[in-house]
Every structure is written in structure tokens, then in C-alpha cells.
Amino acid sequence: MSNNPGYKRIGGWLLAPMAYLIVTLLSVLLMLFLFSMAVFMPESREYLFTNSQAFTLQWYFSVVTTLAMWVFTVAVLWQFCKRARALPKMYIIWLLCTVLLAVKAFAFSPVTDDLAVRNLLLPLLAAAVFVPYFKRSLRVKETFTE
């Protein structure tokens, strides 16, 4: 009997990165819903279009960034479920994008530093744990072979 289990499905510790991916997908979807509410509510739409151009430009940039992150998250989740060979690199890039977006929120959002640090903590922790796991794990190398 061989010691190599020949992983054919997603399981074990790979469920944690997949769960993080799904939770992030749901949070990005919620943000898109909130952005769409701003367009469909008459009061917020009037506030959005009558305010300064800088505010409106920032709002559109946030919408486009959130939409791009949603598309990228769906693509990574699709590759995850297909067990694609390119997934480990895509997942690492996705993790780095989440860290960059958290840094952007930390630097440019008008929120308190405590809230910004709390929002920055989870993507940093996820990247610190999952990047070495995806780079070195035998299970990752043997699961994503399609």
C-alpha cells in the first residue's frame, strides 16, 4: 500500500481557505447590494449626484473596485471547485488583492483607526496563514492537478 493518498477531492485544511473565499464572496455581494441601494433610493441618489465631483468619483471607484473583486472572487472559487492547476497562484494573488484593498480602506477611508485596523487584521492574518500553506503543502500540490 502506498503512503501517497492521491487526493482527488477538496477536503482537510483546504476547506478553511475555501470557506474564507465563500465568506468574502458573500461580503462583497453585500457591498454590491448596498451600492445598488444607493442608486435606487431617491434620497441617496439625489445626494450622490448633487454632491461634489470628488465624492462621486470616489463612489464610482469603490463600485468598480467592488465589482472587480466580486468577479475575481467568483473566478477563483470556480477554479477552486474545478481543482485547476493554476489555482494556488490565483489564490495567492487573490489574497494579496484583499490585503491591498484593506490597506486602501485603511489609508483613504474616513473611519477611525481602530475600525480600519480591525478590517486590516483579517486579510493580513489570512495571507500570513494561507500563502505559505498554498506554497508548501503536499495536499495542495496533489489536489489541484486538473
Side-chain angles (χ1 to χ4, degrees):
M1 187 165 169
S2 173
N3 287 344
N4 184 359
Y7 303 107
K8 301 222 188 276
R9 60 190 173 105
I10 297 169
W13 287 108
L14 282 175
L15 293 176
M18 188 174 194
Y20 181 63
L21 193 62
I22 292 170
V23 167
T24 304
L25 178 68
L26 292 176
S27 69
V28 170
L29 192 61
L30 179 65
M31 285 301 301
L32 285 173
F33 177 70
L34 292 174
F35 283 134
S36 68
M37 279 180 50
V39 171
F40 293 119
M41 303 284 278
E43 307 88 32
S44 57
R45 182 176 51 233
E46 181 182 331
Y47 180 77
L48 181 65
F49 293 126
T50 59
N51 255 339
S52 70
Q53 184 180 5
F55 174 75
T56 306
L57 188 62
Q58 287 175 348
W59 188 83
Y60 282 123
F61 181 70
S62 294
V63 170
V64 168
T65 304
T66 305
L67 190 60
M69 190 61 181
W70 181 78
V71 169
F72 189 36
T73 304
V74 167
V76 172
L77 187 60
W78 180 259
Q79 294 296 318
F80 208 111
C81 293
K82 283 179 41 180
R83 295 187 347 256
R85 186 181 307 257
L87 177 88
K89 289 179 185 176
M90 280 181 69
Y91 193 78
I92 290 170
I93 291 169
W94 179 83
L95 283 170
L96 295 177
C97 286
T98 61
V99 169
L100 284 175
L101 288 175
V103 168
K104 177 192 82 88
F106 181 77
F108 298 115
S109 293
V111 295
T112 63
D113 286 345
D114 294 337
L115 182 62
V117 167
R118 272 189 275 153
N119 288 339
L120 183 61
L121 187 63
L122 189 60
L124 281 175
L125 183 64
V129 171
F130 293 142
V131 168
Y133 176 68
F134 269 77
K135 298 272 281 169
R136 295 189 183 6
S137 172
L138 181 63
R139 178 166 196 120
V140 170
K141 288 182 176 109
E142 291 185 2
T143 299
F144 300 105
T145 58
E146 300 298 320

